[in-house]
Amino acid sequence: MRATVVGACAGLCFLFMAGAAQAHAFLLRATPSPGGQVPTAPASVDLYFTEGVRPVDSGIVVVRAGGHSVMAGKPYVPQSNPREIIIPLRCGLGEGPYAVRWSEVDVDDGHVISGAFIFSVGGGLPPTASTASATVTGGSPPASALISRWLELAGLLVAAGVAAFAVLVRGAAERVRAAVVVGASLAVATLGAVLWVVLQSGESGTRSGHWTIVGACIAGVASAAAFASLRMPGLWLPAAVASVVLLGLPTATGHASASGRSHWLSIPADVLHLAAAAVWIGGIVALLLVVPPASRVSAARRFTPEVVLAVGVLGATGVLRAYGELDSVHQVWTTGYGQALLVKTGVLGAVLVLGWLNRGRFGRLGLAGELALLAVVIGAVAVLTNVRPGVDQGAAAPVAATDTVVYAGEAGPLAVGLAATPAGKQIVLKATVLGQNGPKAGLDVGLSLDGRDAAGEPCGAGCYTATFPAAGAPKT
């Protein structure tokens, strides 16, 4: 457990240098107000946030029903208020409902936050209570974010774990192999960190992006030192220490350090969680690549007590992190964050079973199987870092406009506007689906009215519609 404690202390030191990330920049208010009405068409939609923001141009749209944009130019942040985004609108907008889909990058922590709401120009908005709903299948974090984050996390965990495992290694040849593995792992982590900043919209100018680049530089230098230690053994210790210190990077740029959390609990729990994972994953990699086959059984027996303690720490801190990131139990299966957490937990259980079956043998095939499953776990963690935790997800309120009932909400990274319009003896449901790059076509959209389901038929860019008998008309 020495390595876990060292990793936790070193990670906390990194956090002290980097400083905790600030709050996610949530929408504080808007003009026109969400669900509100204005007597005349506004010249712009003004969004006010809790922290400094930058607009994601491709993720901000203001549309009429049917998906027609009414924007007059690109959204911008005025010099007088870094917490405001102004979306200019065309002149002479007609009466009726308008859907706003916004997306911004937090200047501090670099996370992209999105939302949607409806406002109306003209007549009053009668109160409604309808059971009309839309379900969208297809939203997920971009592949570039998942791959780059997986490379970063896998590289950092393996490097720190193998460096910790080297404490148990006495032979010079084993230390040479450990230096090669640590150097290669840090190079992978450097690549992942750089790709994450470069490929994610707006990350390069954020606090999170800044510290990710700092971490990438440290990892790159440490990687070079690890390889150089093959000729200059004195460089091995600085490289090993740097690899352990870098365990604090995912915490410094992740959900645990965002305000709104209990930092005295979330940050230490996250660092301990990462350190324990590094001990486990790095130990398996070391048994496969560092320890000679003839010495593998004895090395594994010496390492087993630390792995058992690491698994215990991993489970306890995982529960604490889930408690801090979810508001209620149902979010475990109703949110993307909770579902990724379930996948991670299930695969970890499979790893434990496989490890129990492999006890005493420590063959290459069994260890490789454990390592493959742990790679899937790292993938689940990559998803967790790219989706909004349950505590950050708010409910969207329905609003109505004249004889058309209008709703707005989110489905992962997508914004969904739903209009229910009476048409004689029928009710027409029309869903407008917007992503960060505008209207989303080609999705599997299901529409429901009073418990009756129908597949949404395409009706334009990002538009899907279905018709129901008027017996299921929305109640007003």
Side-chain angles (χ1 to χ4, degrees):
M1 202 56 184
R2 297 188 301 274
T4 303
V5 175
V6 170
C9 294
L12 289 172
C13 290
F14 187 95
L15 288 173
F16 178 77
M17 292 186 295
Q22 300 302 308
H24 294 317
F26 296 114
L27 184 66
L28 185 63
R29 60 187 176 88
T31 305
S33 61
Q37 60 178 355
V38 290
T40 58
S44 64
V45 173
D46 301 339
L47 308 176
Y48 300 89
F49 296 87
T50 56
E51 300 289 341
V53 295
R54 295 193 312 180
V56 178
D57 293 345
S58 60
I60 297 181
V61 185
V62 182
V63 297
R64 293 177 180 271
H68 303 292
S69 175
V70 296
M71 294 172 57
K74 290 186 176 182
Y76 63 93
V77 175
Q79 293 183 350
S80 59
N81 187 2
R83 300 182 179 185
E84 179 184 4
I85 293 178
I86 297 177
I87 311 172
L89 302 180
R90 296 175 184 173
C91 297
L93 298 183
E95 293 188 352
Y98 292 84
V100 179
R101 168 67 160 98
W102 55 266
S103 187
E104 51 82 6
V105 175
D106 299 359
V107 172
D108 281 326
D109 65 17
H111 287 90
V112 177
I113 304 296
S114 302
F117 64 87
I118 299 289
F119 71 89
S120 178
V121 175
L125 297 172
T128 67
S130 171
T131 57
S133 64
T135 303
V136 179
T137 302
S140 61
S144 60
L146 298 181
I147 293 172
S148 57
R149 188 62 91 182
W150 186 92
L151 291 172
E152 178 189 344
L153 289 169
L156 293 177
L157 291 173
V158 171
V162 171
F165 185 89
V167 174
L168 300 176
V169 178
R170 297 292 182 264
E174 287 79 0
R175 289 189 179 277
V176 168
R177 294 191 188 100
V180 173
V181 174
V182 169
S185 300
L186 289 174
V188 169
T190 302
L191 175 63
V194 172
L195 287 177
W196 187 74
V197 173
V198 171
L199 297 179
Q200 304 314 303
S201 177
E203 284 293 346
S204 58
T206 67
R207 182 186 180 92
S208 176
H210 168 75
W211 283 109
T212 299
I213 288 297
V214 170
C217 292
I218 296 174
V221 172
S223 174
F227 284 119
S229 70
L230 299 177
R231 291 183 175 272
M232 295 178 285
L235 293 176
W236 163 245
L237 183 58
V241 170
S243 68
V244 177
V245 170
L246 283 167
L247 281 178
L249 178 61
T251 300
T253 58
H255 298 309
S257 55
S259 65
R261 285 17 172 213
S262 300
H263 286 167
W264 65 270
L265 178 63
S266 64
I267 290 178
D270 201 59
V271 174
L272 279 171
H273 195 69
L274 289 165
V279 169
W280 190 3
I281 295 172
I284 294 176
V285 172
L287 288 172
L288 280 169
L289 302 180
V290 176
V291 179
S295 306
R296 189 171 296 136
V297 173
S298 60
R301 286 173 178 168
R302 283 182 295 166
F303 191 64
T304 296
E306 293 204 12
V307 171
V308 171
L309 287 174
V311 170
V313 171
L314 194 70
T317 53
V319 171
L320 291 176
R321 293 297 297 120
Y323 176 79
E325 300 298 340
L326 297 175
D327 261 342
S328 56
V329 174
H330 72 83
Q331 287 185 339
V332 173
W333 57 86
T334 60
T335 65
Y337 189 93
Q339 291 162 5
L341 199 60
L342 285 176
V343 171
K344 174 188 171 185
T345 304
V347 178
L348 276 175
V351 176
L352 288 174
V353 172
L354 183 59
W356 176 260
L357 295 176
N358 288 335
R359 71 191 188 282
R361 294 195 297 271
F362 301 106
R364 280 185 177 272
L365 183 59
L367 289 173
E370 290 186 50
L371 192 60
L373 290 176
L374 287 172
V376 176
V377 172
I378 297 175
V381 176
V383 173
L384 290 172
T385 62
N386 282 282
V387 297
R388 293 177 65 183
V391 294
D392 290 345
Q393 298 191 17
V399 298
T402 59
D403 59 347
T404 297
V405 180
V406 182
Y407 296 79
E410 292 184 75
L414 303 176
V416 182
L418 178 66
T421 304
K425 295 183 178 181
Q426 296 179 321
I427 298 293
V428 177
L429 296 187
K430 181 178 289 186
T432 300
V433 185
L434 304 174
Q436 292 189 5
N437 297 317
K440 298 287 290 185
L443 297 177
D444 180 14
V445 177
L447 298 173
S448 176
L449 181 64
D450 287 338
R452 293 169 295 166
D453 301 325
E457 298 292 332
C459 54
C463 178
Y464 305 85
T465 187
T467 302
F468 296 83
K475 300 176 182 180
T476 59

